[in-house]
Amino acid sequence: MNFHNCWLKKRSFPYPSTVREAAEAELSNLGVPFKIYINGNGDGFTISKNGNEYQISGGETGALYAAFRLGVLLNNKTDFTQINEAPSYENRIINHWDNFNGNIERGYSGKSLFFDDNEIDYDENRMRHYARMLASVGLNAVAINNVNVSLPAVKLITGEKLPRLAKLAEIFKPYGVRLILSINYASPVMLGELDTADPCDPRVADWWKKRFDIIYSYIPNLLGVLVKADSENQPGPFSYGRDHADGANLFAKALAPHGGYVFWRCFVYNCKQNWRDTKTDRPKFPYDNFMPLDGRFDENVVLQIKNGPYDFQIREPVSPLLGAMKQTTQAVEFQIAQEYTGQQIDLCFLPTLWREVLDTGFKVKHIAAVTNTGNDFNWTGNYLAAANLYGYGRLAWDSSLSPESIAAEWCGLMFEDADARAAVKKMLLDSREIYENYTTPLGMGWFVTPHTHYGPDPLGYEFSLWGTYHRADREAVGIDRSSRGTGYTRQYPPEVAAVYDNIDTCPEELLLFFHRVAYNHVLKNGKTLIQYLYDSHFKGAEGAERLLKAWEALEGRVPGEIYKNVLERLHKQVKNAYEWRDVFNTFFYRLTGESDGLGRLIYK
Ligand code: GCW
C-alpha cells in the first residue's frame, strides 16, 4: 500500500540491520559531509559544525537521533555551531489500543497496523517506515496491543504468536524501537492453565516466570509489559484480596532476570458508581489506591499515571499522584488519540495542553501516550493530527520545548510555502482554546455523547455508573472538590491544596472542576458564570469558523491532497462546534432561564 509519511521525507531502503547503519544512512541521505564518533550507548548526542562538516558524537542511538535532528535543522535553516542534547525521559513510549480483530479502541485513523481478523498481520515494509518515523522524533518503545486484553489477544504471549512478534521486534530494532506487550492480568486462568491468578500463590509466580522465559527467548529486547488491572472490568489482584503492589511485583519478579519492566497503570477506579452518592469522587481513586503503596514496588515496576485524575478531558488539573511517590518509579501517560478532544476531526493541538501539565514540575523517569496512528494512508487520518504525534515525540525528548517551537518546526517540515507555514502554525496554536471554548470550559469536563465521546449530550453521563458528573441544577454547576467538599484537594501538598480550595485563588480555567459555582457568581472578567458559559460557546464556534477560513485561504499553497483532507474535517468541526454551542447554551438556558446578555440566539 502506498502511504504518505507525515513530516518525514520518504526514502527507499536497503533496510539497515543495525542502529549504526541506520544513523549512517540517514546522515548520507542529508547530502552534507559528516563524521560519526560512537562512544558509549546512550541516546544523547552532540552535533558540531566544523567548516562544512558535521561531526556527530554519542551512543549509537544518539547518533541516529542526531541524524534526524540535523535533518530538521538543515530543513529549517537553523544556524548553529554546536548542539548537545539528551532526552528528558529514559523510555519514550507510545501505546496502541489495537484489538486483535483489527479495530482500534478510540482509533480515528483506520484499522490496526498490527492485527487483522484475530491474527498478527502487518505490512513489513510499512513497519520499517513506522520504526523510522518514530525514531525521527526520538520515540523508542511501542506497546502494540490494547490495554484491554481479551481472548484471543491473551494468546499473544504464547508460542503460537511469538514468532511473528519476534519478527516485528527485529524490524523495529535498527531504529532503536523496542516492543512492549499489553497483557491480561489473569492470563494463566484465561489460557486455562491455572485456576487462580492470585499474586501470592507460588504456582502463579512460577507460571509467569516460565512464561517470561519463553517470551524473552523469542524477543530478547522486549522492553516489558503493560498491565491494566482492576480497571474497567479487567481482572486484577483485588479479586484475590491483594493489592496493586502484590500484583505489580508478581510481574516485576518474573521480568527482572530479563531486564524487563512492568508498566502498571494507575487508572483504577470504581466504574460502578451510583450517581445518587455524592461522597464518592472518581478523581480521588488513583491517589487513594496507589499512594499508600509507596515503597512497596520493585525497582522494575513503573506506575503509569494519566496526566489528569479523571480521563483525558480537555482540561483537568495535574494528577496529584505524579511525582508524589518518592520511592516509586513513574511514567506520565498522555493521550495523543483525540478521544475527548475532537477525534481527529476537530483540530486540537495537544502540546499546548501537555505543556501546562509538564509545567507543574513533577519529575518522572518515563513517558507514555496513547497513539493516534492507524493504517490510514497518512497514519493519523487528519493530516494535521500528525502534529500531535510529532509534538508528543518532541516533548518526550525535550520536556522544555514550547508549543510554538514545536508547531513551527512541524509546519516547516510539512509545508514549503512560508505563508502556509505561518498560517497553520497559528491554527494549531489557537486550536486547543477554541475546542475548549465550544465544549466544556472552566474544567467542567464530560458532557459528551456516551460511548462515542464525540459531540454533546448534557445528561449522557449524568446518571451513569462511570462517576462522570457535572451535577448542573437550577442554581449551580460543578463539584465541590475542596477540603469542605469531597476532599480531593487534600491529595495535593498543602500549599497547592490551599490555592485550589479557595474559589478566589483557584485558577479560573479549573473553576468547575474544583468548585460548585452559582450561575450568578462573578468571574474575573466581571461577567457572571452563566454569561461566561454562553460567551465561551459563541466564541468557540466563531473560532472554529475562523480555523476553516484560515485554511480556505491556503488553497493552492498546500498540496491538494492535504488541502482536501483537512478542509473536509474543518467543515465537520464547524458543524460540531455549532452543535455544542447550541445544545450547551440551550441546556443551561432551560435550567436557569437566563437570557444571553448580548441578545444572541439561544434556542428555547
Ligand atoms: O478513556 C477511557 C477510554 C477507554 C480506555 C480507558 C483506559 C482502553 O474510554 O476506551 O480503554 O480509558 O485508559 O484504559
PDB file of all heavy atoms in Angstrom, residues 97 105-106 146-148 228 231-232 265 267 306 311-312 333 335 339-340 453, ligand 1:
ATOM      1  N   TRP A  97      -3.906   1.119  21.205  1.00  0.00           N
ATOM      2  CA  TRP A  97      -5.062   0.422  21.774  1.00  0.00           C
ATOM      3  C   TRP A  97      -5.686  -0.431  20.668  1.00  0.00           C
ATOM      4  O   TRP A  97      -6.865  -0.344  20.367  1.00  0.00           O
ATOM      5  CB  TRP A  97      -6.061   1.423  22.358  1.00  0.00           C
ATOM      6  CG  TRP A  97      -5.648   2.010  23.685  1.00  0.00           C
ATOM      7  CD1 TRP A  97      -4.561   1.669  24.451  1.00  0.00           C
ATOM      8  CD2 TRP A  97      -6.339   3.035  24.419  1.00  0.00           C
ATOM      9  NE1 TRP A  97      -4.533   2.417  25.608  1.00  0.00           N
ATOM     10  CE2 TRP A  97      -5.608   3.267  25.615  1.00  0.00           C
ATOM     11  CE3 TRP A  97      -7.490   3.772  24.186  1.00  0.00           C
ATOM     12  CZ2 TRP A  97      -6.000   4.212  26.566  1.00  0.00           C
ATOM     13  CZ3 TRP A  97      -7.887   4.713  25.131  1.00  0.00           C
ATOM     14  CH2 TRP A  97      -7.147   4.931  26.314  1.00  0.00           C
ATOM     15  N   GLU A 105      -9.460   0.623  19.630  1.00  0.00           N
ATOM     16  CA  GLU A 105     -10.275   1.306  20.631  1.00  0.00           C
ATOM     17  C   GLU A 105      -9.852   2.774  20.641  1.00  0.00           C
ATOM     18  O   GLU A 105      -8.675   3.092  20.791  1.00  0.00           O
ATOM     19  CB  GLU A 105     -10.063   0.656  22.016  1.00  0.00           C
ATOM     20  CG  GLU A 105     -10.939   1.283  23.087  1.00  0.00           C
ATOM     21  CD  GLU A 105     -11.224   0.341  24.264  1.00  0.00           C
ATOM     22  OE1 GLU A 105     -10.959  -0.878  24.142  1.00  0.00           O
ATOM     23  OE2 GLU A 105     -11.711   0.825  25.291  1.00  0.00           O
ATOM     24  N   ARG A 106     -10.830   3.639  20.437  1.00  0.00           N
ATOM     25  CA  ARG A 106     -10.570   5.092  20.370  1.00  0.00           C
ATOM     26  C   ARG A 106      -9.613   5.433  19.235  1.00  0.00           C
ATOM     27  O   ARG A 106      -8.749   6.309  19.372  1.00  0.00           O
ATOM     28  CB  ARG A 106     -10.024   5.625  21.691  1.00  0.00           C
ATOM     29  CG  ARG A 106     -10.781   5.186  22.924  1.00  0.00           C
ATOM     30  CD  ARG A 106     -12.229   5.519  22.830  1.00  0.00           C
ATOM     31  NE  ARG A 106     -12.993   4.994  23.970  1.00  0.00           N
ATOM     32  CZ  ARG A 106     -14.322   5.020  24.007  1.00  0.00           C
ATOM     33  NH1 ARG A 106     -15.018   5.493  22.995  1.00  0.00           N
ATOM     34  NH2 ARG A 106     -14.965   4.554  25.052  1.00  0.00           N
ATOM     35  N   ASN A 146      -3.947  -3.322  22.626  1.00  0.00           N
ATOM     36  CA  ASN A 146      -4.812  -2.640  23.581  1.00  0.00           C
ATOM     37  C   ASN A 146      -4.563  -3.095  25.020  1.00  0.00           C
ATOM     38  O   ASN A 146      -4.327  -4.290  25.262  1.00  0.00           O
ATOM     39  CB  ASN A 146      -6.265  -2.952  23.185  1.00  0.00           C
ATOM     40  CG  ASN A 146      -7.280  -2.075  23.890  1.00  0.00           C
ATOM     41  OD1 ASN A 146      -6.942  -1.308  24.783  1.00  0.00           O
ATOM     42  ND2 ASN A 146      -8.535  -2.190  23.473  1.00  0.00           N
ATOM     43  N   VAL A 147      -4.687  -2.149  25.941  1.00  0.00           N
ATOM     44  CA  VAL A 147      -4.576  -2.495  27.364  1.00  0.00           C
ATOM     45  C   VAL A 147      -5.761  -3.329  27.839  1.00  0.00           C
ATOM     46  O   VAL A 147      -5.682  -4.001  28.867  1.00  0.00           O
ATOM     47  CB  VAL A 147      -4.447  -1.231  28.244  1.00  0.00           C
ATOM     48  CG1 VAL A 147      -3.090  -0.595  28.080  1.00  0.00           C
ATOM     49  CG2 VAL A 147      -5.558  -0.225  27.941  1.00  0.00           C
ATOM     50  N   ASN A 148      -6.873  -3.239  27.130  1.00  0.00           N
ATOM     51  CA  ASN A 148      -7.978  -4.162  27.389  1.00  0.00           C
ATOM     52  C   ASN A 148      -7.666  -5.426  26.588  1.00  0.00           C
ATOM     53  O   ASN A 148      -7.795  -5.442  25.377  1.00  0.00           O
ATOM     54  CB  ASN A 148      -9.310  -3.582  26.911  1.00  0.00           C
ATOM     55  CG  ASN A 148      -9.748  -2.401  27.762  1.00  0.00           C
ATOM     56  OD1 ASN A 148      -9.557  -2.393  28.977  1.00  0.00           O
ATOM     57  ND2 ASN A 148     -10.330  -1.399  27.128  1.00  0.00           N
ATOM     58  N   LYS A 228      -3.237  -3.314  32.611  1.00  0.00           N
ATOM     59  CA  LYS A 228      -4.408  -2.582  33.117  1.00  0.00           C
ATOM     60  C   LYS A 228      -5.153  -3.559  34.007  1.00  0.00           C
ATOM     61  O   LYS A 228      -5.810  -4.478  33.511  1.00  0.00           O
ATOM     62  CB  LYS A 228      -5.274  -2.137  31.941  1.00  0.00           C
ATOM     63  CG  LYS A 228      -6.624  -1.540  32.323  1.00  0.00           C
ATOM     64  CD  LYS A 228      -7.393  -1.042  31.080  1.00  0.00           C
ATOM     65  CE  LYS A 228      -8.759  -0.478  31.469  1.00  0.00           C
ATOM     66  NZ  LYS A 228      -9.482   0.079  30.296  1.00  0.00           N
ATOM     67  N   SER A 231      -9.381  -2.472  36.503  1.00  0.00           N
ATOM     68  CA  SER A 231      -9.783  -1.203  35.912  1.00  0.00           C
ATOM     69  C   SER A 231     -10.781  -1.492  34.817  1.00  0.00           C
ATOM     70  O   SER A 231     -10.510  -2.311  33.936  1.00  0.00           O
ATOM     71  CB  SER A 231      -8.536  -0.521  35.357  1.00  0.00           C
ATOM     72  OG  SER A 231      -8.845   0.525  34.474  1.00  0.00           O
ATOM     73  N   GLU A 232     -11.924  -0.853  34.897  1.00  0.00           N
ATOM     74  CA  GLU A 232     -12.959  -1.003  33.863  1.00  0.00           C
ATOM     75  C   GLU A 232     -13.172  -2.476  33.502  1.00  0.00           C
ATOM     76  O   GLU A 232     -13.090  -2.866  32.344  1.00  0.00           O
ATOM     77  CB  GLU A 232     -12.615  -0.153  32.642  1.00  0.00           C
ATOM     78  CG  GLU A 232     -12.510   1.319  33.005  1.00  0.00           C
ATOM     79  CD  GLU A 232     -12.328   2.259  31.827  1.00  0.00           C
ATOM     80  OE1 GLU A 232     -11.723   1.839  30.836  1.00  0.00           O
ATOM     81  OE2 GLU A 232     -12.788   3.405  31.921  1.00  0.00           O
ATOM     82  N   ARG A 265      -0.663   0.302  35.113  1.00  0.00           N
ATOM     83  CA  ARG A 265      -1.481   1.519  35.013  1.00  0.00           C
ATOM     84  C   ARG A 265      -2.222   1.844  36.301  1.00  0.00           C
ATOM     85  O   ARG A 265      -2.667   0.945  37.023  1.00  0.00           O
ATOM     86  CB  ARG A 265      -2.465   1.387  33.852  1.00  0.00           C
ATOM     87  CG  ARG A 265      -1.750   1.341  32.531  1.00  0.00           C
ATOM     88  CD  ARG A 265      -2.710   1.206  31.382  1.00  0.00           C
ATOM     89  NE  ARG A 265      -3.203   2.453  30.878  1.00  0.00           N
ATOM     90  CZ  ARG A 265      -4.491   2.722  30.663  1.00  0.00           C
ATOM     91  NH1 ARG A 265      -5.422   1.841  30.973  1.00  0.00           N
ATOM     92  NH2 ARG A 265      -4.857   3.875  30.142  1.00  0.00           N
ATOM     93  N   PHE A 267      -4.927   3.768  36.378  1.00  0.00           N
ATOM     94  CA  PHE A 267      -6.280   4.175  36.006  1.00  0.00           C
ATOM     95  C   PHE A 267      -7.278   3.211  36.667  1.00  0.00           C
ATOM     96  O   PHE A 267      -8.002   2.478  36.028  1.00  0.00           O
ATOM     97  CB  PHE A 267      -6.378   4.140  34.479  1.00  0.00           C
ATOM     98  CG  PHE A 267      -7.669   4.649  33.911  1.00  0.00           C
ATOM     99  CD1 PHE A 267      -8.106   5.927  34.204  1.00  0.00           C
ATOM    100  CD2 PHE A 267      -8.435   3.869  33.050  1.00  0.00           C
ATOM    101  CE1 PHE A 267      -9.291   6.414  33.659  1.00  0.00           C
ATOM    102  CE2 PHE A 267      -9.622   4.346  32.506  1.00  0.00           C
ATOM    103  CZ  PHE A 267     -10.045   5.611  32.809  1.00  0.00           C
ATOM    104  N   LYS A 306      -2.183   8.544  34.245  1.00  0.00           N
ATOM    105  CA  LYS A 306      -2.760   9.518  33.311  1.00  0.00           C
ATOM    106  C   LYS A 306      -2.476  10.935  33.800  1.00  0.00           C
ATOM    107  O   LYS A 306      -2.458  11.184  35.004  1.00  0.00           O
ATOM    108  CB  LYS A 306      -4.266   9.303  33.168  1.00  0.00           C
ATOM    109  CG  LYS A 306      -4.625   8.063  32.369  1.00  0.00           C
ATOM    110  CD  LYS A 306      -6.107   8.001  31.987  1.00  0.00           C
ATOM    111  CE  LYS A 306      -6.383   6.698  31.245  1.00  0.00           C
ATOM    112  NZ  LYS A 306      -7.761   6.605  30.706  1.00  0.00           N
ATOM    113  N   ASP A 311      -9.821  11.611  33.154  1.00  0.00           N
ATOM    114  CA  ASP A 311      -9.649  10.804  31.951  1.00  0.00           C
ATOM    115  C   ASP A 311      -9.509  11.650  30.690  1.00  0.00           C
ATOM    116  O   ASP A 311     -10.440  11.721  29.891  1.00  0.00           O
ATOM    117  CB  ASP A 311     -10.852   9.856  31.811  1.00  0.00           C
ATOM    118  CG  ASP A 311     -10.602   8.773  30.792  1.00  0.00           C
ATOM    119  OD1 ASP A 311      -9.475   8.700  30.267  1.00  0.00           O
ATOM    120  OD2 ASP A 311     -11.531   7.998  30.516  1.00  0.00           O
ATOM    121  N   PHE A 312      -8.367  12.234  30.481  1.00  0.00           N
ATOM    122  CA  PHE A 312      -8.056  12.891  29.208  1.00  0.00           C
ATOM    123  C   PHE A 312      -9.093  13.916  28.758  1.00  0.00           C
ATOM    124  O   PHE A 312      -9.418  14.004  27.566  1.00  0.00           O
ATOM    125  CB  PHE A 312      -7.864  11.834  28.110  1.00  0.00           C
ATOM    126  CG  PHE A 312      -6.765  10.847  28.372  1.00  0.00           C
ATOM    127  CD1 PHE A 312      -6.954   9.487  28.122  1.00  0.00           C
ATOM    128  CD2 PHE A 312      -5.523  11.265  28.857  1.00  0.00           C
ATOM    129  CE1 PHE A 312      -5.930   8.562  28.350  1.00  0.00           C
ATOM    130  CE2 PHE A 312      -4.500  10.347  29.079  1.00  0.00           C
ATOM    131  CZ  PHE A 312      -4.705   8.999  28.833  1.00  0.00           C
ATOM    132  N   GLU A 333       1.184   9.365  31.571  1.00  0.00           N
ATOM    133  CA  GLU A 333       0.505   8.885  30.358  1.00  0.00           C
ATOM    134  C   GLU A 333      -0.354   9.992  29.755  1.00  0.00           C
ATOM    135  O   GLU A 333      -1.236  10.536  30.417  1.00  0.00           O
ATOM    136  CB  GLU A 333      -0.372   7.666  30.691  1.00  0.00           C
ATOM    137  CG  GLU A 333      -1.117   7.113  29.485  1.00  0.00           C
ATOM    138  CD  GLU A 333      -2.028   5.921  29.822  1.00  0.00           C
ATOM    139  OE1 GLU A 333      -1.545   4.931  30.410  1.00  0.00           O
ATOM    140  OE2 GLU A 333      -3.231   5.980  29.493  1.00  0.00           O
ATOM    141  N   GLN A 335      -2.658  11.246  26.119  1.00  0.00           N
ATOM    142  CA  GLN A 335      -3.432  10.627  25.042  1.00  0.00           C
ATOM    143  C   GLN A 335      -3.289  11.480  23.783  1.00  0.00           C
ATOM    144  O   GLN A 335      -3.768  12.610  23.730  1.00  0.00           O
ATOM    145  CB  GLN A 335      -4.912  10.491  25.433  1.00  0.00           C
ATOM    146  CG  GLN A 335      -5.692   9.579  24.498  1.00  0.00           C
ATOM    147  CD  GLN A 335      -7.173   9.496  24.832  1.00  0.00           C
ATOM    148  OE1 GLN A 335      -7.804  10.492  25.124  1.00  0.00           O
ATOM    149  NE2 GLN A 335      -7.753   8.296  24.772  1.00  0.00           N
ATOM    150  N   GLU A 339      -9.599  11.220  21.835  1.00  0.00           N
ATOM    151  CA  GLU A 339     -10.876  10.641  22.268  1.00  0.00           C
ATOM    152  C   GLU A 339     -11.884  11.706  22.707  1.00  0.00           C
ATOM    153  O   GLU A 339     -13.025  11.697  22.261  1.00  0.00           O
ATOM    154  CB  GLU A 339     -10.619   9.649  23.419  1.00  0.00           C
ATOM    155  CG  GLU A 339     -11.896   9.086  23.996  1.00  0.00           C
ATOM    156  CD  GLU A 339     -11.658   8.077  25.114  1.00  0.00           C
ATOM    157  OE1 GLU A 339     -10.486   7.798  25.421  1.00  0.00           O
ATOM    158  OE2 GLU A 339     -12.647   7.575  25.657  1.00  0.00           O
ATOM    159  N   TYR A 340     -11.452  12.560  23.610  1.00  0.00           N
ATOM    160  CA  TYR A 340     -12.339  13.599  24.140  1.00  0.00           C
ATOM    161  C   TYR A 340     -12.019  14.967  23.551  1.00  0.00           C
ATOM    162  O   TYR A 340     -12.525  15.973  24.001  1.00  0.00           O
ATOM    163  CB  TYR A 340     -12.205  13.682  25.668  1.00  0.00           C
ATOM    164  CG  TYR A 340     -12.668  12.434  26.384  1.00  0.00           C
ATOM    165  CD1 TYR A 340     -11.761  11.472  26.817  1.00  0.00           C
ATOM    166  CD2 TYR A 340     -14.020  12.215  26.640  1.00  0.00           C
ATOM    167  CE1 TYR A 340     -12.180  10.326  27.482  1.00  0.00           C
ATOM    168  CE2 TYR A 340     -14.457  11.085  27.306  1.00  0.00           C
ATOM    169  CZ  TYR A 340     -13.529  10.146  27.728  1.00  0.00           C
ATOM    170  OH  TYR A 340     -13.952   9.011  28.396  1.00  0.00           O
ATOM    171  N   HIS A 453     -18.180   9.425  22.595  1.00  0.00           N
ATOM    172  CA  HIS A 453     -17.405  10.552  23.136  1.00  0.00           C
ATOM    173  C   HIS A 453     -17.164  11.670  22.134  1.00  0.00           C
ATOM    174  O   HIS A 453     -16.221  12.435  22.260  1.00  0.00           O
ATOM    175  CB  HIS A 453     -16.085  10.069  23.763  1.00  0.00           C
ATOM    176  CG  HIS A 453     -16.301   9.133  24.904  1.00  0.00           C
ATOM    177  ND1 HIS A 453     -15.279   8.441  25.521  1.00  0.00           N
ATOM    178  CD2 HIS A 453     -17.438   8.768  25.554  1.00  0.00           C
ATOM    179  CE1 HIS A 453     -15.774   7.688  26.491  1.00  0.00           C
ATOM    180  NE2 HIS A 453     -17.082   7.861  26.524  1.00  0.00           N
TER     181      HIS A 453
HETATM  182  O1  GCW B   1     -10.854   6.845  28.498  1.00  0.00           O
HETATM  183  C1  GCW B   1     -11.086   5.510  28.686  1.00  0.00           C
HETATM  184  C2  GCW B   1     -11.496   5.013  27.338  1.00  0.00           C
HETATM  185  C3  GCW B   1     -11.372   3.522  27.227  1.00  0.00           C
HETATM  186  C4  GCW B   1      -9.954   3.113  27.628  1.00  0.00           C
HETATM  187  C5  GCW B   1      -9.680   3.588  29.046  1.00  0.00           C
HETATM  188  C6  GCW B   1      -8.267   3.296  29.519  1.00  0.00           C
HETATM  189  C7  GCW B   1      -8.614   1.322  26.761  1.00  0.00           C
HETATM  190  O2  GCW B   1     -12.809   5.452  27.071  1.00  0.00           O
HETATM  191  O3  GCW B   1     -11.652   3.177  25.897  1.00  0.00           O
HETATM  192  O4  GCW B   1      -9.730   1.735  27.490  1.00  0.00           O
HETATM  193  O5  GCW B   1      -9.880   4.959  29.123  1.00  0.00           O
HETATM  194  O6  GCW B   1      -7.466   4.223  29.522  1.00  0.00           O
HETATM  195  O7  GCW B   1      -7.972   2.186  29.887  1.00  0.00           O
END
